[in-house]
Amino acid sequence: MKLSIITVAYNSAETIAHTIESVLEQSYSDIEYIIVDGGSKDNTVEIIKSYEPRFNGRMKWISEKDNGLYDAMNKGIRMATGEVVGIINADDFYHRNDVIALIAKGFKEEHVQATFADVRFVKPDNLEKTVRYYACKNFAPWRFRFGFMPAHPTFFTYKWYFDEFGYYRTDYKIAADYELLIRFLYKHKLKYKYLHLDVMKMRTGGASTASVKSNLILNREIVRACRENGIYTNLAILSLKYFVKVWEMVVTKD
């Protein structure tokens, strides 16, 4: 089974080498790595080019203007030739070399149509310091109503489901990943397997956690995503999730 891993980048020179290295070091060999760069102004493209020969034909990339993060993700998925696709952001990295092997193993089980796992949020200046452990073991589709979803960068599924159910909605600013997961896991009821391990580290400071304003936009888009896919929720209900987030910061599993 070929797995396509997609990284979206823009002015990511400070971190993207770490991301690429973590893909390159995976023990699973049947990987296609795709990088979609949005026309970076720093030396991101030069870094990408320097790694291309080391993939022995298993990497492809483009650098051009796009219409935002989710448009770039859609480009990458359309470029993919693997049966299964997943996303790793340009400031995240796999901190173990058997991640893709374990994901591929999960898809060999009967009826599995998607997989997801846990992640660690770490400090950008200390990648060994976990500030939040995002566990997905208690996830169930009904929990979308309360603002909970599987960790999106750990989500893998068959490429043909994007053709069947649709790609990321580019009319969302922050929560298109949330909307897509609702659509795939709640509305279309894909049978998923949870992998009980943390597969990657994510640097804090992403688009959805950048500010109070971003969180307000995020929550409003979550309400919209739920409504458009047949789930009732509101901002008051979503506020309950912050008690869980505080607990995740206390219990970090260092």
Side-chain angles (χ1 to χ4, degrees):
M1 175 185 291
K2 181 193 290 187
L3 280 80
S4 296
I5 303 170
I6 298 155
T7 293
V8 171
Y10 182 71
N11 290 343
S12 305
E14 290 187 10
T15 59
I16 195 168
H18 201 178
T19 306
I20 297 171
E21 288 275 1
S22 76
V23 175
L24 190 60
E25 292 170 1
Q26 291 301 301
S27 61
Y28 191 80
S29 60
D30 202 359
I31 292 174
E32 173 185 62
Y33 189 39
I34 299 168
I35 302 178
V36 181
D37 177 72
S40 291
K41 307 302 182 185
D42 60 7
N43 65 330
T44 298
V45 172
E46 285 69 26
I47 294 171
I48 295 169
K49 288 179 179 178
S50 72
Y51 278 98
E52 187 174 12
R54 296 176 60 184
F55 280 86
N56 296 318
R58 295 182 299 133
M59 174 197 274
K60 51 187 175 183
W61 61 275
I62 57 172
S63 181
E64 62 185 24
K65 183 176 173 56
D66 54 52
N67 293 316
L69 175 67
Y70 299 114
D71 177 53
M73 287 182 181
N74 289 340
K75 285 183 182 182
I77 296 166
R78 291 188 175 99
M79 290 170 63
T81 61
E83 296 172 67
V84 171
V85 297
I87 306 285
I88 181 169
N89 299 319
D91 53 359
D92 305 336
F93 58 97
Y94 301 122
H95 62 285
R96 48 190 296 167
N97 66 5
D98 61 349
V99 169
I100 303 304
L102 292 169
I103 290 168
K105 182 180 178 182
F107 277 96
K108 291 180 181 178
E109 294 186 19
E110 190 175 7
H111 305 308
V112 171
Q113 298 169 311
T115 65
F116 54 79
D118 301 344
V119 299
R120 291 179 183 269
F121 287 89
V122 296
K123 289 186 175 181
D125 58 350
N126 183 0
L127 301 179
E128 298 304 316
K129 178 61 178 177
T130 301
V131 296
R132 179 186 170 203
Y133 188 91
Y134 189 161
C136 299
K137 65 180 180 180
N138 294 322
F139 171 79
W142 61 266
R143 289 170 66 92
F144 280 121
R145 180 189 182 196
F146 296 92
F148 297 105
M149 70 176 193
H152 173 248
T154 74
F155 178 74
F156 283 75
T157 192
Y158 288 103
K159 182 186 175 181
W160 57 74
Y161 290 131
F162 290 92
D163 297 322
E164 185 175 352
F165 305 145
Y167 286 65
Y168 291 96
R169 295 267 304 270
T170 56
D171 56 338
Y172 280 75
K173 293 182 179 179
I174 298 177
D177 49 355
Y178 201 99
E179 191 280 331
L180 182 133
L181 290 176
I182 292 177
R183 198 164 6 110
F184 281 36
L185 300 179
Y186 178 87
K187 184 175 182 179
H188 293 289
K189 305 183 189 313
L190 290 187
K191 294 180 174 61
Y192 58 83
K193 178 179 178 62
Y194 163 64
L195 305 178
H196 198 143
L197 71 158
D198 50 306
V199 300
M200 71 170 57
K201 292 185 177 182
M202 302 177 64
R203 292 172 174 85
T204 54
S208 62
T209 59
S211 66
V212 172
K213 181 179 179 181
S214 293
N215 273 283
L216 181 58
I217 295 171
L218 173 66
N219 286 330
R220 285 175 174 169
E221 290 193 341
I222 288 174
V223 171
R224 174 189 166 194
C226 287
R227 183 181 68 247
E228 292 178 344
N229 288 282
I231 301 174
Y232 174 76
T233 193
N234 56 47
L235 293 176
I237 291 172
L238 294 182
S239 68
L240 299 174
K241 69 183 177 181
Y242 292 104
F243 293 101
V244 176
K245 286 191 173 185
V246 169
W247 177 251
E248 289 173 345
M249 293 177 184
V250 173
V251 184
T252 59
K253 292 192 178 183
D254 276 332

